[in-house]
PDB file of all heavy atoms in Angstrom:
ATOM      1  N   ALA A 274      56.443  46.891 -49.335  1.00 60.00           N
ATOM      2  CA  ALA A 274      57.069  46.221 -50.357  1.00 60.00           C
ATOM      3  C   ALA A 274      57.523  44.753 -49.903  1.00 60.00           C
ATOM      4  O   ALA A 274      57.354  43.760 -50.689  1.00 60.00           O
ATOM      5  CB  ALA A 274      58.309  47.000 -50.921  1.00 60.00           C
ATOM      6  N   ALA A 275      57.994  44.809 -48.702  1.00 59.00           N
ATOM      7  CA  ALA A 275      58.431  43.425 -48.219  1.00 59.00           C
ATOM      8  C   ALA A 275      57.274  42.495 -48.037  1.00 59.00           C
ATOM      9  O   ALA A 275      57.304  41.317 -48.292  1.00 59.00           O
ATOM     10  CB  ALA A 275      59.138  43.599 -46.821  1.00 59.00           C
ATOM     11  N   LEU A 276      56.046  43.097 -47.563  1.00 59.00           N
ATOM     12  CA  LEU A 276      54.953  42.194 -47.397  1.00 59.00           C
ATOM     13  C   LEU A 276      54.445  41.691 -48.669  1.00 59.00           C
ATOM     14  O   LEU A 276      54.027  40.514 -48.809  1.00 59.00           O
ATOM     15  CB  LEU A 276      53.827  43.079 -46.694  1.00 59.00           C
ATOM     16  CG  LEU A 276      52.481  42.291 -46.476  1.00 59.00           C
ATOM     17  CD1 LEU A 276      52.649  41.084 -45.542  1.00 59.00           C
ATOM     18  CD2 LEU A 276      51.426  43.236 -45.877  1.00 59.00           C
ATOM     19  N   CYS A 277      54.392  42.623 -49.736  1.00 61.00           N
ATOM     20  CA  CYS A 277      53.999  42.103 -51.097  1.00 61.00           C
ATOM     21  C   CYS A 277      54.969  41.104 -51.619  1.00 61.00           C
ATOM     22  O   CYS A 277      54.487  40.071 -52.164  1.00 61.00           O
ATOM     23  CB  CYS A 277      53.980  43.310 -51.977  1.00 61.00           C
ATOM     24  SG  CYS A 277      52.643  44.571 -51.528  1.00 61.00           S
ATOM     25  N   ILE A 278      56.213  41.334 -51.445  1.00 61.00           N
ATOM     26  CA  ILE A 278      57.188  40.299 -51.942  1.00 61.00           C
ATOM     27  C   ILE A 278      56.954  38.932 -51.235  1.00 61.00           C
ATOM     28  O   ILE A 278      57.031  37.896 -51.812  1.00 61.00           O
ATOM     29  CB  ILE A 278      58.636  40.788 -51.753  1.00 61.00           C
ATOM     30  CG1 ILE A 278      58.914  42.042 -52.638  1.00 61.00           C
ATOM     31  CG2 ILE A 278      59.645  39.727 -51.985  1.00 61.00           C
ATOM     32  CD1 ILE A 278      60.171  42.758 -52.285  1.00 61.00           C
ATOM     33  N   GLY A 279      56.656  39.015 -49.884  1.00 61.00           N
ATOM     34  CA  GLY A 279      56.480  37.831 -49.114  1.00 61.00           C
ATOM     35  C   GLY A 279      55.265  37.053 -49.538  1.00 61.00           C
ATOM     36  O   GLY A 279      55.292  35.839 -49.755  1.00 61.00           O
ATOM     37  N   ILE A 280      54.230  37.850 -49.885  1.00 63.00           N
ATOM     38  CA  ILE A 280      52.894  37.221 -50.295  1.00 63.00           C
ATOM     39  C   ILE A 280      53.192  36.526 -51.727  1.00 63.00           C
ATOM     40  O   ILE A 280      52.822  35.435 -51.925  1.00 63.00           O
ATOM     41  CB  ILE A 280      51.835  38.287 -50.420  1.00 63.00           C
ATOM     42  CG1 ILE A 280      51.420  38.700 -48.928  1.00 63.00           C
ATOM     43  CG2 ILE A 280      50.541  37.630 -51.057  1.00 63.00           C
ATOM     44  CD1 ILE A 280      50.471  39.852 -48.908  1.00 63.00           C
ATOM     45  N   VAL A 281      53.913  37.293 -52.641  1.00 58.00           N
ATOM     46  CA  VAL A 281      54.152  36.752 -53.978  1.00 58.00           C
ATOM     47  C   VAL A 281      55.041  35.459 -53.816  1.00 58.00           C
ATOM     48  O   VAL A 281      54.752  34.487 -54.469  1.00 58.00           O
ATOM     49  CB  VAL A 281      54.813  37.762 -54.806  1.00 58.00           C
ATOM     50  CG1 VAL A 281      55.341  37.206 -56.095  1.00 58.00           C
ATOM     51  CG2 VAL A 281      53.906  38.954 -55.026  1.00 58.00           C
ATOM     52  N   GLU A 282      56.036  35.614 -52.926  1.00 59.00           N
ATOM     53  CA  GLU A 282      56.883  34.369 -52.773  1.00 59.00           C
ATOM     54  C   GLU A 282      56.171  33.214 -52.242  1.00 59.00           C
ATOM     55  O   GLU A 282      56.337  31.989 -52.662  1.00 59.00           O
ATOM     56  CB  GLU A 282      58.052  34.731 -51.877  1.00 59.00           C
ATOM     57  CG  GLU A 282      59.082  35.650 -52.481  1.00 59.00           C
ATOM     58  CD  GLU A 282      60.223  35.976 -51.581  1.00 59.00           C
ATOM     59  OE1 GLU A 282      60.125  35.658 -50.309  1.00 59.00           O
ATOM     60  OE2 GLU A 282      61.262  36.540 -51.947  1.00 59.00           O
ATOM     61  N   LEU A 283      55.176  33.476 -51.310  1.00 56.00           N
ATOM     62  CA  LEU A 283      54.384  32.371 -50.670  1.00 56.00           C
ATOM     63  C   LEU A 283      53.485  31.794 -51.741  1.00 56.00           C
ATOM     64  O   LEU A 283      53.303  30.574 -51.777  1.00 56.00           O
ATOM     65  CB  LEU A 283      53.529  32.999 -49.617  1.00 56.00           C
ATOM     66  CG  LEU A 283      52.792  32.036 -48.695  1.00 56.00           C
ATOM     67  CD1 LEU A 283      53.782  31.035 -47.982  1.00 56.00           C
ATOM     68  CD2 LEU A 283      51.947  32.711 -47.500  1.00 56.00           C
TER      69      LEU A 283
END
Side-chain angles (χ1 to χ4, degrees):
L276 180 60
C277 292
I278 293 170
I280 292 173
V281 172
E282 289 179 348
L283 188 61

